[in-house]
Amino acid sequence: MPANPSQTSVASRPPSAPLPDFCSLPVLFALLVVGALTVSLMWLAPGGTGTLRDYCIAVLFTSWLSILLTVALCKLRTGMQRLPGLLPYAAVWLLLVATVGLSAGVMGWIDRSLVFGITPSPTFRFVRDSMLATGLLGAGLLRYFYVVAQWQARVAAEAQAQVAALQARIRPHFLFNSMNAVAALIRVDPDAAERTVENLAELFRAALGSDTESVGTLGDEWSLVDRYLEIESLRLGHRLRVERDIDVPPGLPMPRMLLQPLVENAIRHGVQPSRSGGTIRLGGRRVPGGVEIVVDNPIADGAPTPGTGHGLRNVRERVRFHYGERASVRVDTGADRFIVTVFLPESANARPDRR
């Protein structure tokens, strides 16, 4: 069946280059700084005849232009982003030059009408020089924004691939042991077998869920941890003991399956190798600037169970990706305890574009 011509044209259209978030304060700050630096360099250049009054007026003019351009770009970003290829950046450049030229013309006309003497004469030269300077500076600034956007896109793609790999990582022997436990419980305790199947379903739904479900809450994460512990308690019995001391807001945004790998490592390396088992301590408390979540497990006697550190490393990367550099994952090893402390800044939320 022949393809729809409209679908073919859409499929062949090059993807749109991502524009920066013009509604953010860093963009406004960048425009303000570039404008002020440009005026300062022109005023300090050899041969300049401008006075301090002229310099202050020029700084005020560029600052007002920066705010005007930021508002215009913020409002028009969605429409320009629909353009294919690099046309969004071309549209932004044209908007910059046109807005500055129009503003310079209006300012020159007002100055000539009121005889303030604050703009160079003639007005045409003032408008032309303003547009040329904006065109050159705008091209350099947009090139910087484009490089930053491409770098952020690559970082996001790599982080998303790592998140997907971690979410898809369920240890096969954990699945086999759980299914064996279900098979053994079917005749002895059908209700427990049913609960185990439901817990497994929830764990797999979280681990293999879609990208739109990759960010949940701390309360959801504790619920997944409880389901995981209930499954493991069927296998380890009285050897697995859990103590909880949790006082943190359950609505805190958190990536799915972030705490479960830490609890899994605690059981695998701290409780499972010991004949007598051990106690896992789960803690959470408010601290200045955010919350701390603690997973504390015993260190088994004898040779430790070999591990790759993949789970802990991925937890670190996901925490940094979702919450920024303020978040951290700290590991402390005492005489007989292995403690992992996750600090999450309360003011930093898991953004939708960080999934």
Side-chain angles (χ1 to χ4, degrees):
M1 181 177 178
N4 191 325
S6 61
Q7 294 178 348
T8 304
S9 61
V10 172
S12 61
R13 190 175 67 178
S16 176
L19 290 173
D21 183 9
F22 292 114
C23 302
S24 62
L25 288 178
V27 173
L28 174 60
F29 179 75
L31 292 176
L32 289 172
V33 169
V34 169
L37 286 177
T38 302
V39 172
S40 300
L41 291 175
M42 294 176 64
W43 186 64
L44 295 173
T49 58
T51 63
L52 182 60
R53 172 177 173 269
D54 298 330
Y55 172 76
C56 294
I57 293 174
V59 170
L60 287 175
F61 178 63
T62 56
S63 300
W64 175 79
L65 270 179
S66 299
I67 297 175
L68 176 64
L69 289 170
T70 302
V71 174
L73 291 172
C74 177
K75 297 298 183 181
L76 299 176
R77 179 182 182 273
T78 303
M80 292 185 293
Q81 187 64 78
R82 297 193 184 101
L83 299 174
L86 295 176
L87 287 182
Y89 281 87
V92 172
W93 185 84
L94 290 175
L95 179 63
L96 291 175
V97 175
T99 303
V100 171
L102 180 62
S103 301
V106 171
M107 183 177 179
W109 176 76
I110 295 175
D111 182 39
R112 296 293 174 268
S113 301
L114 301 179
V115 198
F116 285 148
I118 60 176
T119 59
S121 182
T123 302
F124 171 77
R125 181 179 178 183
F126 173 57
V127 173
R128 182 199 63 188
D129 292 346
S130 298
M131 294 178 69
L132 287 175
T134 302
L136 294 174
L137 292 173
L141 194 60
L142 288 175
R143 173 60 181 175
Y144 165 76
F145 284 144
Y146 176 76
V147 172
V148 170
Q150 294 296 313
W151 173 75
Q152 290 177 340
R154 286 195 296 269
V155 171
E158 293 175 1
Q160 182 59 45
Q162 292 173 351
V163 168
L166 182 60
Q167 287 179 328
R169 177 180 171 267
I170 292 289
R171 290 190 291 121
H173 69 82
F174 163 69
L175 174 61
F176 297 149
N177 290 336
S178 301
M179 297 307 296
N180 289 333
V182 170
L185 287 170
I186 288 177
R187 295 183 179 180
V188 179
D189 191 347
D191 293 336
E194 183 178 356
R195 288 197 307 272
T196 303
V197 172
E198 292 174 353
N199 292 334
L200 275 173
E202 288 298 322
L203 284 170
F204 273 88
R205 184 178 292 113
L208 306 176
S210 62
D211 290 344
T212 57
E213 300 172 342
S214 61
V215 176
T217 63
L218 181 56
D220 298 334
E221 195 65 11
W222 284 129
S223 177
L224 289 175
V225 168
D226 289 339
R227 290 181 180 274
Y228 175 77
L229 289 172
E230 187 175 349
I231 294 174
E232 289 287 33
S233 64
L234 294 176
R235 182 170 63 91
L236 298 174
H238 67 278
R239 294 170 57 202
L240 175 60
R241 298 176 293 276
V242 181
E243 295 180 359
R244 292 177 174 86
D245 183 14
I246 301 171
D247 183 20
V248 290
L252 181 72
M254 176 172 289
R256 303 298 296 271
M257 299 295 287
L258 184 70
L259 299 180
Q260 186 273 340
L262 299 179
V263 178
E264 180 180 343
N265 283 344
I267 294 176
R268 182 184 181 189
H269 300 289
V271 177
Q272 181 175 304
S274 175
R275 290 185 177 181
S276 60
T279 301
I280 293 178
R281 298 168 185 162
L282 304 179
R285 64 181 184 274
R286 294 176 180 269
V287 295
V291 298
E292 275 189 353
I293 300 171
V294 179
V295 178
D296 181 348
N297 63 269
I299 297 178
D301 298 333
T305 305
T308 62
H310 179 75
L312 187 59
R313 182 171 61 252
N314 272 274
V315 168
R316 279 198 176 100
E317 292 174 357
R318 294 182 67 194
V319 165
R320 184 172 63 252
F321 177 70
H322 281 271
Y323 295 94
E325 297 298 330
R326 292 178 56 198
S328 64
V329 178
R330 188 178 73 250
V331 175
D332 298 308
T333 304
D336 57 351
R337 307 293 297 182
F338 186 85
I339 305 171
V340 179
T341 304
V342 181
F343 170 74
L344 303 178
E346 226 169 349
S347 59
N349 295 332
R351 298 183 348 201
D353 59 339
R354 288 185 167 188
R355 288 176 178 168

